[in-house]
Amino acid sequence: MRKLRFEETNAYITYITIDKGYRQNTIVSYHYDLEAYEHFLKEKNPTTVLRSDIIDFLEERKENGIGEKSVAHSITVLRGFYKFLLIEQKITSNPMETIDMPRLPKTLPKVLSFHEVEMLLDVPLKDKYDFRNKAMLEVMYATGMRISELISLKYTDVNLLQNCVIVFGKGGKERMVPLGDYATEALRIYMEMYRPKFLKRPSDYVFLSVRGDKMSRQAFFKILKEEARKRGIETPFSPHTLRHSFASHLLQNGADLRSIQELLGHSDISTTQIYTHVSDRLREETYHKTHPHG
């Protein structure tokens, strides 16, 4: 990343990197928004701006075709930035204090049916790539991990004897997540017999690329889409599809929201509650498909 122009913005990036421990992807997204903000301010220092300046910046973003979600992200970044400047006593009043978030339309996440998950996990096992892909898919569906958590899984985070993994989530928060029998067996076979075939040099990471490096988000998503294509799964995919399916299927089978919240690593139960709406939608779709007068 290029250095930002202002001392204050660079200090904030250092703060969220070292003090807050934000993940690299989050830091890059914050850096991008602050870069756009600096470009808008030209030579005006961010410590001297008024509320009206920030409103103009956000309006300019909208005029340039930036969507509501991205504008909301800019507001989040600037809220954190000016709160930081207030703590550091670089400003005496916060220009972000009365700027509200835009109301975003709530969209329900796409999930796979039980049958589609079974199809996706039915990977024909021919070579080391198949065994690795099978293990990754089984573990992701069994645990509901985020992609970033899955690819960051280390050898020491896995306990096959107790059928569980240690997951480090957002903000470095640690949680223990159980593995089902299928995921444990797929992981055991991969780690004992096929992971050594990917190693080019010592590595702590469980899932490795063809070069022996840590698996990337892009590479995993490509694998996910390719496996879905091979099985004829037509449900639109996002990087979170298996995570959403994990949570939705747990809820449909009687798990309580608080347990699902803990397994997913959500800090707020309201984030988990969206899966109740997904479950309602699936129940309605099933009714219309199967009831004689549906």
Side-chain angles (χ1 to χ4, degrees), residues 69-92:
K69 280 190 175 180
S70 295
V71 171
H73 187 267
S74 295
I75 292 173
T76 298
V77 172
L78 292 179
R79 277 182 177 175
F81 174 55
Y82 280 103
K83 187 178 178 181
F84 166 74
L85 293 184
L86 205 58
I87 293 168
E88 293 293 306
Q89 299 182 340
K90 299 288 185 182
I91 56 175
T92 55

Side-chain angles (χ1 to χ4, degrees), residues 130-254:
D130 295 329
F131 281 93
R132 180 199 63 190
N133 297 350
K134 166 80 168 173
M136 291 183 78
L137 295 173
E138 288 281 5
V139 169
M140 193 169 193
Y141 179 62
T143 63
M145 286 187 200
R146 300 174 179 93
I147 287 183
S148 57
E149 294 168 347
L150 182 77
I151 62 176
S152 298
L153 194 67
K154 293 184 177 178
Y155 219 80
T156 50
D157 300 331
V158 177
N159 189 328
L160 293 176
L161 291 177
Q162 294 186 12
N163 288 29
C164 66
V165 290
I166 301 295
V167 182
F168 294 90
K170 290 184 176 180
K173 289 183 180 176
E174 179 183 320
R175 66 187 192 275
M176 182 179 288
V177 184
L179 285 171
D181 292 338
Y182 289 102
T184 299
E185 184 62 9
L187 194 53
R188 184 190 65 76
I189 293 171
Y190 161 70
M191 289 177 70
E192 290 179 2
M193 299 174 62
Y194 294 96
R195 183 180 175 275
K197 297 182 179 182
F198 285 95
L199 283 171
K200 302 287 191 295
R201 65 195 72 82
S203 175
D204 293 333
Y205 294 103
V206 173
F207 297 112
L208 304 175
S209 71
V210 66
R211 296 183 303 277
D213 302 320
K214 174 186 175 184
M215 176 72 66
S216 70
R217 294 170 62 92
Q218 294 81 1
F220 174 72
F221 189 34
K222 187 176 178 182
I223 290 166
L224 187 63
K225 288 197 295 184
E226 180 60 18
E227 293 295 343
R229 185 195 64 77
K230 288 178 184 175
R231 311 288 180 280
I233 297 171
E234 296 179 357
T235 299
F237 260 88
S238 78
H240 260 33
T241 301
L242 271 180
R243 178 171 164 85
H244 293 321
S245 302
F246 161 84
S248 178
H249 294 172
L250 279 178
L251 193 61
Q252 288 178 67
N253 282 308

Side-chain angles (χ1 to χ4, degrees), residues 6 19 39 43 50 81 83 86 93 95 107 116 140 169 199 250 292:
F6 294 110
D19 292 56
H39 179 74
E43 297 306 314
L50 303 173
F81 174 55
K83 187 178 178 181
L86 205 58
S93 62
T107 55
E116 285 173 320
M140 193 169 193
L199 283 171
L250 279 178

Side-chain angles (χ1 to χ4, degrees), residues 4-68:
L4 295 165
R5 287 193 296 118
F6 294 110
E7 176 188 335
E8 292 80 7
T9 46
N10 280 301
Y12 182 56
I13 290 295
T14 301
Y15 169 72
I16 64 172
T17 303
I18 297 174
D19 292 56
K20 300 293 283 182
Y22 284 8
R23 289 186 174 276
Q24 186 62 25
N25 288 343
T26 305
I27 295 165
V28 169
S29 71
Y30 272 51
H31 191 282
Y32 174 81
D33 277 53
L34 289 172
E35 222 172 13
Y37 185 50
E38 285 191 341
H39 179 74
F40 170 80
L41 292 177
K42 297 182 172 63
E43 297 306 314
K44 189 170 187 177
N45 191 283
T47 60
T48 63
V49 304
L50 303 173
R51 179 182 185 275
S52 57
D53 294 317
I54 296 173
I55 294 292
D56 289 343
F57 165 65
L58 297 173
E59 288 300 323
E60 182 185 87
R61 301 220 86 194
K62 292 177 189 175
E63 289 167 10
N64 289 337
I66 301 296
E68 290 288 348

